[in-house]
Amino acid sequence: MTRHFLTLLDLEAEELAALLDRAAVLRAERGAPGARPLAGKSIVILLEKASTRTRLSFEVGVHELGGLPLTLISKDTQLGRGEPIADTARMLSGYAHGVVFRTFGHDRVEELARHATIPVINGLSERYHPCQLLADLATIRAEHADLRRVRVAWIGDGNNMAHSWILAAARTGLSLRLASPERYAPAADVVGLARSLGADVEVVTDPREAVAGAHVVTTDVWSSMGHEAENAERARAFRDYRVDAALMARAAPGAMFLHCLPAHRGEEVAAEVIDGPASRVWLEAEYRLHAQKALLEALFGAQ
Ligand code: CP
Ligand code: NVA
């Protein structure tokens, strides 16, 4: 059966832990001559939304593992002119060895995976952004070896990143508190799924309650891609959900700040935090490369 990576639940807890260990090794060994498990293989990066980090980290990562990355911007393809996803999946399976897909509804990633005979990696859907969590967890692991002892506070929109953190809690044992305005709370079925797997996840509305004692404070844009028309309404709803120095002061001493980027200083995060000593966002962005190389090795290395 073809192995896909659509959500963090596609990795068992032990596989995820091994992948995070491998990401740290790949970071330490970067530049040294290594195995090239993707030699002779082509990976398509198919984008229906903008991307800087996801595109670059996969392009560089595939290249460093010896493969050929091919980025397709959907609007320049027949998919962008209405060619069915199923046909795209069948066709890509004949050319390439894997595909990274960034899209709108999560059903679109699932449909690509259903019809592809090559591994599909979710490069972000409206529901989940699992590749980002690999990097985020690897960044935390650089300071906290045991994720089961880590408390994470998510502040803001109950979006694809929030949902991915919720599944991360299920797969790693970290404790998660999310603070969102009621209307923008994470989806109840995602919370329920994680809890059914034993995750320690709590949803509140007060950011101060969420950050109390947290080792990691993280947030994301107030309007995700595809929600730009709601900017004004969301800016009002999230007014009290900015991560600033006063909020960080309520977290555990030495707490780190994470953000998947791109960030909007003065909106979801104050410049004093993202550009201050608690911020690990550049290491986090760098870990996209190492963590995805570890993922690519796991999916394609043994083929
Ligand atoms: N964090 C992230 O996925 O960044 P891009 O949108 O630039 O790919
Ligand atoms: N939640 C954001 C993440 C961007 C990397 C979005 O979907 O636009």
Side-chain angles (χ1 to χ4, degrees), residues 239-258:
R239 199 173 41 209
D240 298 328
Y241 289 78
R242 176 172 306 125
V243 178
D244 57 16
L247 193 65
M248 285 300 291
R250 293 173 174 269
M256 69 171 80
F257 173 75
L258 297 180

Side-chain angles (χ1 to χ4, degrees), residues 80-165:
R81 295 181 59 248
E83 185 168 12
I85 290 185
D87 292 359
T88 303
R90 293 181 188 112
M91 179 275 302
L92 286 176
S93 300
Y95 290 155
H97 299 84
V99 54
V100 180
F101 189 30
R102 169 167 287 200
T103 188
F104 292 85
H106 191 67
D107 56 331
R108 292 177 71 75
V109 193
E110 289 176 332
E111 186 166 1
L112 192 79
R114 205 162 34 248
H115 296 281
T117 55
I118 55 175
V120 172
I121 296 172
N122 179 4
L124 179 147
S125 67
E126 290 215 329
R127 192 83 157 169
Y128 296 111
H129 192 7
C131 292
Q132 181 66 49
L133 258 289
L134 299 180
D136 295 10
L137 295 171
T139 306
I140 299 173
R141 285 281 299 279
E143 290 176 42
H144 299 273
D146 187 356
L147 291 174
R148 289 169 305 180
R149 300 165 71 92
V150 174
R151 294 182 58 154
V152 177
W154 169 269
I155 309 299
D157 194 12
N159 62 12
N160 44 11
M161 279 298 301
H163 293 155
S164 301
W165 275 105

Side-chain angles (χ1 to χ4, degrees), residues 49 102 124 129 159-161 220-221 223-225 260-262:
K49 288 176 174 170
R102 169 167 287 200
L124 179 147
H129 192 7
N159 62 12
N160 44 11
M161 279 298 301
D220 187 13
V221 291
S223 295
S224 284
M225 290 182 276
C260 65
L261 304 175

